[in-house]
Amino acid sequence: MRMRPRSLRIAAHVELVSLAVLLANLATAHLQPVSSLVGPTHGCAYLFVVVTTWRLRAAGSTTRAVAFVPGVGGLLALRRLAHAAG
C-alpha cells in the first residue's frame, strides 16, 4: 500500500471540514437538518480515517494513536506518514 493513500487524504479533509461545520452550526443557528446531515458524515469520515490508518503497514504505533484525535487526527497521521517516508 502506498504511504499516503488518496482515500485517507480525502477522508482526513472531510473529517476536518465536517467538524468545522458542526461547530459553526452549534455556535450559530443550531439547525437540526445540518446536524442530521453533517453529524453522520463526520462520524463516518472519522471511522474511515482510524481504520485506514490502522491498516497501513507503514504506520507506527504513534501514528495509529494520533488517528484517534477527532477532527485533526487524519491530517496529523498523514503528516507523520509523510515524515516517516522521508
Side-chain angles (χ1 to χ4, degrees):
M1 191 178 284
R2 295 181 340 188
M3 285 296 186
R4 294 179 58 172
R6 184 175 184 211
S7 57
L8 179 59
R9 193 172 51 237
I10 292 170
H13 285 92
V14 169
E15 179 187 11
L16 179 63
V17 169
S18 63
L19 180 63
V21 170
L22 283 171
L23 292 175
N25 184 43
L26 183 63
T28 58
H30 194 57
L31 299 172
Q32 183 63 31
V34 173
S35 298
S36 296
L37 178 67
V38 180
T41 303
H42 173 70
C44 288
Y46 173 74
L47 289 175
F48 189 86
V49 164
V50 170
V51 170
T52 303
T53 303
W54 273 81
R55 293 190 67 197
L56 288 174
R57 290 189 179 124
S61 59
T62 306
T63 304
R64 289 177 175 152
V66 163
F68 279 99
V69 177
V72 295
L75 295 176
L76 293 173
L78 283 170
R79 184 175 179 176
R80 290 190 56 82
L81 287 169
H83 188 308

